[in-house]
Amino acid sequence: MTTTGTRNFKEKRISKRRRLSRHGPNWSDLPLDILERIIGRLRWVDRSRIRAVCKAWSVPNTCIPAIGELPWAMKFCWRYASLYLIQGECRLLDPLSREYLVEERSRGLEYLLFLDARPCASLYGWVLFKVYDFIEEKKESLFLYSPLTTEVIRLPYLGGPPTFQVAAFSLNATSPKYTIFLLWSENGKICIKLCSAGDCSWKTFEFDGFDRFNRANDAAYTNGVFYCVFRGGQLGAFNVELKGWTILVDHCPLVDHCPLSRSSVHYAKLIVSGADLQLLSDSSSLELLKLDFATMNWVYENDLNNRVLFIGCTSFSVPAVGEANVLANTIFASGTLMHPKVRFYGSTSPRQSRLYRKCVEAAKCDRIWIDLPLGGIWRADDLIHAV
């Protein structure tokens, strides 16, 4: 005779079979270790899409194995569609694969800021845009945009222009807490503004500057410090935790014991390359220098050490491994005044490579280089509520 417990167990099994046959398996119950293995085998565009399937599949960034990727090239274009709508698109070019249309739609007039937006910096899948708002009392403003999620984070107003010459921000795989750094140099003063997650206004710091006008050129972030290079060749550093500003290099960089011409560093770019800080001049020969932290002097670099440089509003140094080995020792400059747009330092030309041609096309079209998050995607809610 069947006991009550056995009968209930059989009924539950029958009920589960009927539920699965009617609705299919519940994929949100997939074990986390199996899910991580699946996502770890996908390319980036598929990783971003699979995380949107359900909440259980939005696994923490640190759980997904990192993959080596080149920066992607972003095209961002918006225009008026009517009196009440703006219309546009955002496209991402994966140099190793193909181009993806990540957004093509209309937005309301609350997104008018898209029309005059100019990229200032990009990092970990997010792009910092600057816009001069003629409607809102002629103020400058900034916003963050993620082409991977098409989300927007508006930042506090800055006030009347001019408000900054260079911008950079910090964001990484371990924490969604970001800090945005702005710097303005004029009239013997260095003015720095910071805005972090949850701030309703900008924090302002002032330091002694230069005796003459010395405009800031570019900024970069690494290991808790924002670095800034100026048109005179000087290099300064702002420690985020200590809120302190220091001039590390007070003279124009030297090459073969001779200073670079001032015109060569007018639009020079800073690059974080592993533990190194590099400076790329904007002369026709594109001299590359590395900061010697022991002597606080720039040292001339003879080659790129089998790396690829992607120069833009934020610049990236990537090891030329795997499919990217054909790009070793090449510089691609996009969205800058640098010429030539492409420079090769190696002994074997990669011109016949399809990957090389795609990167050249992206550079000549002045697309924005996007740093792909290697672990996962921080969504807008992650950044807004970061502590």
Side-chain angles (χ1 to χ4, degrees), residues 97-113:
S97 180
R98 61 185 180 87
E99 183 171 272
Y100 300 94
L101 178 64
V102 296
E103 180 174 16
E104 184 180 34
R105 59 168 171 164
S106 298
R107 291 181 181 253
L109 294 184
E110 66 271 22
Y111 290 98
L112 274 176
L113 72 172

Side-chain angles (χ1 to χ4, degrees), residues 4 29 40 184 257 276 341:
T4 303
D29 294 336
W184 174 267
H257 305 291
D276 295 331
K341 292 284 188 181

Side-chain angles (χ1 to χ4, degrees), residues 17-143:
R17 288 197 197 101
R18 288 174 178 172
R19 187 171 65 252
L20 290 177
S21 63
R22 187 184 309 166
H23 303 290
N26 187 352
W27 293 108
S28 63
D29 294 336
L30 199 64
L32 184 59
D33 60 331
I34 295 178
L35 178 59
E36 291 170 6
R37 291 181 185 180
I38 293 173
I39 296 180
R41 293 175 179 271
L42 300 177
R43 295 197 71 87
W44 243 108
V45 68
D46 298 314
R47 285 191 178 198
S48 63
R49 289 170 177 168
I50 199 172
R51 288 167 58 89
V53 171
C54 63
K55 186 176 181 180
W57 285 28
S58 184
V59 296
N61 296 345
T62 54
C63 295
I64 307 175
I67 52 176
E69 292 276 6
L70 295 174
W72 287 16
M74 173 178 136
K75 177 183 177 183
F76 184 87
C77 180
W78 291 80
R79 60 193 178 276
Y80 273 110
S82 69
L83 289 176
Y84 307 102
L85 293 174
I86 63 168
Q87 188 173 18
E89 65 179 27
C90 178
R91 293 179 177 270
L92 285 177
L93 172 66
D94 176 1
L96 295 172
S97 180
R98 61 185 180 87
E99 183 171 272
Y100 300 94
L101 178 64
V102 296
E103 180 174 16
E104 184 180 34
R105 59 168 171 164
S106 298
R107 291 181 181 253
L109 294 184
E110 66 271 22
Y111 290 98
L112 274 176
L113 72 172
F114 277 24
L115 297 179
D116 298 313
R118 297 292 181 269
C120 299
S122 66
L123 191 63
Y124 211 75
W126 286 83
V127 184
L128 178 66
F129 281 96
K130 168 188 176 180
V131 59
Y132 181 65
D133 197 332
F134 290 94
I135 298 176
E136 292 289 342
E137 303 174 7
K138 297 184 178 180
K139 294 180 179 179
E140 279 186 320
S141 60
L142 292 163
F143 68 91

Side-chain angles (χ1 to χ4, degrees), residues 128 142 144 155 168-169 178-182 193-195 202:
L128 178 66
L142 292 163
L144 288 165
L155 300 171
F169 67 100
Y178 64 87
T179 297
I180 297 173
F181 168 87
L182 310 176
K193 294 186 177 184
L194 297 182
C195 181
W202 293 84

Side-chain angles (χ1 to χ4, degrees), residues 31-32 96 116 125 133 135 159 164-166 181 191 273 278 289 313-314 325 339 344 356 361 384:
L32 184 59
L96 295 172
D116 298 313
D133 197 332
I135 298 176
F164 67 95
Q165 294 164 344
V166 294
F181 168 87
C191 179
S273 178
Q278 296 177 321
L289 302 101
C313 59
T314 297
N325 63 352
H339 289 284
F344 180 63
Y356 173 84
E361 180 185 358
I384 293 171

